[in-house]
DNA sequence: CGTGGGTGTCGTGGGCCCATCATAGGAATG
DNA sequence: CATTCCTATGATGGGCCCACGACACCCACG
């Protein structure tokens, strides 16, 4: 024992180990471990005493040793898709930030921390961190990262319905088709005759499902599709695409934009063409940003509820990690929320749909 | 050895350990370790063979064991301040997202991953993860997290000049005072007579330095300060404060807003009071968001260059971790960038400052 | 009244997780 | 026999946990 003491002193003068605490408290290593972890059956006096000594010595258990022994690291990977060199795209900023924030909080509340891992990370980096499980955002079909993780026996929960036969443990997503159909109906109700779509060229599930839903809706109501697609990760391309859409001979009288910056892009394009919103052009875009509450005019947005998604994803993952029989279903659909503002209300609000009021009221 | 083999088989059927690789390749454990890590002096044939076998078995070295042995985890903490329950504030979304993105990329390029750790994390969470060092965003004076980390001998680099005598290893910041003075001069040059400030009630360094710089500038040019402060973490309070500022009897004819959403808030308030921008009111705000390029009118913004900051912070931290004699100084000041748009140009651009052109040109 | 067995409470020893590294050892060659 | 090379052995890092051991106490039986 004294040998251990000595060798430890030599190795790391700054940090105290469990051995040092045991020696200082006059008990065994096991007793220290049990006292600090609330395990075993020890008299409260011993427990208190050990805790006191540990505090005095500034003892912090080595995370590495604990992880090695228990097989649990308390770390959850947050894998974000990458376009080009940078992790997560510009268009997803607000969504991603909100989602990550909620996920961080939820994980923290259950004693876990999040590790950011871009999908294009070098193998050696993310196989070099001990994860208990991983959250994957919008995994592509046959995502090599996911299959590798699953092969290692780690639970994987995805934000976004997994494409193809990706073997994720669970997933959470919005009902994107229903959301698009709801918006199109909303615009049609507001008087839109020809609804256009600003969409992306990428092949992710969100873009694909939304575009398909649009095309099917068009077919159902007998409208020719009017849409422009652009690479969503390029912040400049959006403005150009918005311009193209409004410059078409079959110019739409309402537009839904799938990505966050589309609102301002479309608004700017409309101004260039002298179109008044909402009189000449109805506008809706998918965004989590609150700037659209204060634009001129305020723009109707679709919120994907990233906070609920982030929370749900983490809960599912931790349930899987801890082997909790999921009281949650393994496939969760989070409802979207349409925040109706001026840009999508041609008729002055409530005038025609509400019951008549007394003339005195504004 | 056969006993070890057996016990391993029983323990974790899915994952192969270094023992299994050694057995399968018919060499010793050391040889496997050396072959995979490029150490020692081994014949290339052996090296290749070992690698091949390791690949075939899907061997991944245990991160926990390696961390325990080497004392390095390859993990960097990213500590974010919290307001209320949620990590990082709404007003810092774009800044934080950009900064975190750059930091993630920079860390990755050097083989490190980032762990998100809200400052209010329970002790047991962030002492439960093995960190090699930590990035702290805007640490408050006497931040307990920082002192604890430093006490453990871990390098800490802060984004934002540390308040008080916080013992950080290094820091990176903008020259906020110079930035504010530059903006005020810019507005004065554009014809502003009375410049107002939209600031925060929080005590962080950014808010403090900026406000002080404003007050000093006012004193120097002999203008009465006109400012409103609000709790920056409350997204609704900003709109109210903007309104208050423009409702004052000594209404300013130019305003600088310290926080991201102030641009739209001020624009909306200006419209309510029938003020034209930039004719009746000049506007600048500090923001990383590109929406201000497409507002009506486009708004001049100050960029704090979060990507450069995120990169610099991580480089400094990893230099410290790896004991590299910093070729970078330990205190870095990143220049800000004023992106001048219509909202701060009262006189039509270039007309009066450029040499006269021939009448035919637009 | 004395002692052996039963029952509990507290606490300890040593092995284990897995990879790394220093050093000792062995084989081949000059 | 000496010198290169390469490989094997064993210690190490630090905390957790299984399986016991030590000790006290109580009851019953001789």
């Amino acid at each position: 024992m004294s040998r251990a003491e000595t060798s430890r002193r030599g190795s790391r003068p700054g940090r105290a180990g469990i051995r040092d605490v045991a020696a200082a408290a006059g008990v065994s290593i096991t007793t220290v471990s049990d006292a600090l972890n609330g395990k075993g059956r020890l008299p409260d006096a011993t427990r208190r005493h050990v805790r006191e000594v540990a505090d005095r010595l500034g003892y912090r258990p080595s995370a590495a040793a604990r992880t090695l022994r228990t097989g649990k690291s308390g770390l959850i990977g947050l894998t974000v898709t990458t376009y080009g060199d940078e992790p997560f795209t510009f268009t997803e900023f607000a969504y991603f930030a909100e989602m990550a924030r909620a996920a961080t909080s939820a994980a923290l509340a259950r004693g876990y921390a999040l590790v950011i891992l871009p999908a294009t990370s070098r193998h050696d980096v993310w196989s070099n961190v001990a994860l208990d499980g991983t959250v994957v955002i919008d995994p592509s079909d046959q995502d090599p990262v996911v299959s590798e993780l699953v092969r290692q026996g780690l639970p994987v929960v995805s934000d976004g319905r997994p494409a193809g036969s990706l073997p994720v443990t669970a997933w959470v997503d919005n009902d994107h088709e229903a959301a698009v159909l709801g918006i199109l109906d909303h615009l049609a109700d507001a008087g839109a005759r020809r609804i256009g779509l600003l969409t992306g060229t990428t092949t992710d599930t969100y873009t694909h499902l939304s575009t398909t839903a649009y095309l099917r809706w068009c077919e159902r109501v007998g409208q020719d599709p009017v849409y422009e697609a652009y690479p969503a990760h390029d912040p400049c391309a959006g403005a150009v695409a918005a311009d193209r859409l409004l410059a078409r001979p079959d110019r739409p009288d309402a537009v839904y934009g799938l990505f966050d910056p589309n609102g301002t892009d479309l608004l700017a394009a409309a101004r260039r063409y002298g179109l008044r919103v909402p009189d000449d052009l109805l506008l809706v875009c998918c965004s989590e940003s609150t700037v659209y509450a204060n634009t001129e005019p305020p723009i109707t947005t679709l919120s994907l509820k990233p906070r609920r998604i982030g929370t749900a994803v983490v809960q599912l993952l931790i349930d899987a990690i801890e082997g909790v029989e999921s009281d949650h279903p393994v496939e969760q659909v989070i409802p979207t929320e349409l925040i109706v503002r001026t840009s999508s209300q041609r008729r002055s609000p409530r005038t025609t749909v509400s019951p008549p009021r007394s003339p005195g009221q504004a």
Side-chain angles (χ1 to χ4, degrees), chain A:
Chain A
M1 188 186 285
S2 68
R3 204 188 50 223
E5 253 299 324
T6 311
S7 74
R8 285 215 75 270
R9 272 212 194 100
S11 68
R12 226 190 284 297
R15 293 196 50 174
I18 197 172
R19 258 164 281 262
D20 303 317
V21 178
V27 295
S28 78
I29 294 178
T30 306
T31 306
V32 175
S33 179
D34 285 350
L36 295 180
N37 295 325
K39 304 217 165 175
R41 277 182 315 175
L42 300 174
D44 279 352
T46 309
R47 232 175 261 279
R48 258 199 314 276
H49 177 228
V50 170
R51 262 181 213 160
E52 213 167 274
V53 172
D55 273 356
R56 186 155 48 76
L57 266 56
Y59 167 70
R60 297 266 172 266
S62 147
R66 172 177 288 169
T67 300
L68 178 59
R69 177 64 211 188
T70 63
K72 298 288 169 212
S73 65
L75 253 31
I76 291 176
L78 179 61
T79 302
V80 295
T81 42
T82 53
Y83 296 87
D85 290 338
E86 302 284 358
F88 54 90
T89 69
F90 174 80
T91 51
E92 293 159 349
F93 257 26
Y95 176 86
F96 177 81
E98 285 259 27
M99 189 274 191
R101 181 159 92 142
T104 303
S105 290
L108 195 68
R110 294 187 65 172
Y112 289 75
L114 252 51
V115 184
I116 308 178
L117 291 173
T120 51
S121 302
R122 291 150 32 194
H123 253 273
D124 57 308
V125 172
W126 66 257
S127 78
N128 210 352
V129 21
L131 296 178
D132 289 348
T134 307
V135 170
V136 190
I137 298 181
D138 240 330
S140 67
D141 198 356
Q142 302 296 338
D143 193 318
V145 175
V146 174
S147 14
E148 168 71 14
L149 289 166
V150 169
R151 208 179 57 72
Q152 284 184 26
L154 291 176
V156 174
V157 178
S158 79
D159 170 9
R161 201 174 319 237
S165 54
L166 220 54
V168 300
T169 312
W171 57 261
V172 179
D173 203 352
N174 306 108
D175 188 343
H176 293 299
E177 298 182 280
V180 169
L181 298 180
I183 287 168
L184 297 174
D185 286 342
H186 167 75
L187 288 170
D189 284 350
R193 303 274 166 183
R194 183 167 11 189
I195 306 178
L197 184 75
L198 205 48
T199 180
T201 51
T202 47
T203 59
D204 57 295
T205 317
Y206 167 66
T207 307
H208 178 70
L209 283 181
S210 302
T211 308
T212 308
Y214 168 76
L215 293 176
R216 278 222 318 279
W217 185 87
C218 284
E219 193 170 3
R220 205 185 64 207
V221 303
Q223 184 210 299
D224 286 335
V226 187
Y227 65 91
E228 293 284 342
Y230 74 99
H233 54 276
D234 177 354
C236 299
V240 177
D243 218 87
R244 270 208 316 268
L245 188 58
L246 298 189
R248 291 172 63 127
D250 54 343
R251 170 190 294 161
D253 61 351
V255 178
Y256 174 48
L258 286 186
F259 303 106
D260 200 300
N262 291 164
T264 41
D265 292 344
L266 285 164
L267 208 51
R271 274 197 303 269
R272 280 194 291 276
Y273 290 100
L275 300 171
R276 291 163 305 168
V277 176
D279 306 280
D280 304 320
L281 183 70
L282 297 170
L283 236 48
V284 177
C285 82
C286 182
S287 167
E288 308 306 326
S289 172
T290 56
V291 303
Y292 290 123
N294 286 316
T295 49
E296 174 56 32
I299 296 180
T300 297
T301 54
L302 178 77
S303 167
L304 302 178
K305 297 284 164 188
R307 306 178 55 154
R308 287 193 55 189
I309 290 190
T311 306
V313 163
V314 165
Q315 299 295 4
L316 282 172
L317 183 60
I318 297 180
D319 284 351
I321 289 170
E322 297 182 347
V324 177
E325 281 315 311
S326 45
D327 29 346
H328 316 293
V330 294
E331 301 179 358
Q332 273 187 47
V333 175
I334 305 288
T336 55
E337 183 187 8
L338 190 64
I339 302 164
V340 178
R341 301 199 183 96
T342 315
S343 75
S344 67
Q345 298 178 304
R346 185 154 298 167
R347 299 164 294 210
S348 52
R350 305 286 159 196
T351 315
T352 56
V353 292
S354 302
R357 301 180 184 182
S358 63
Q361 289 183 329

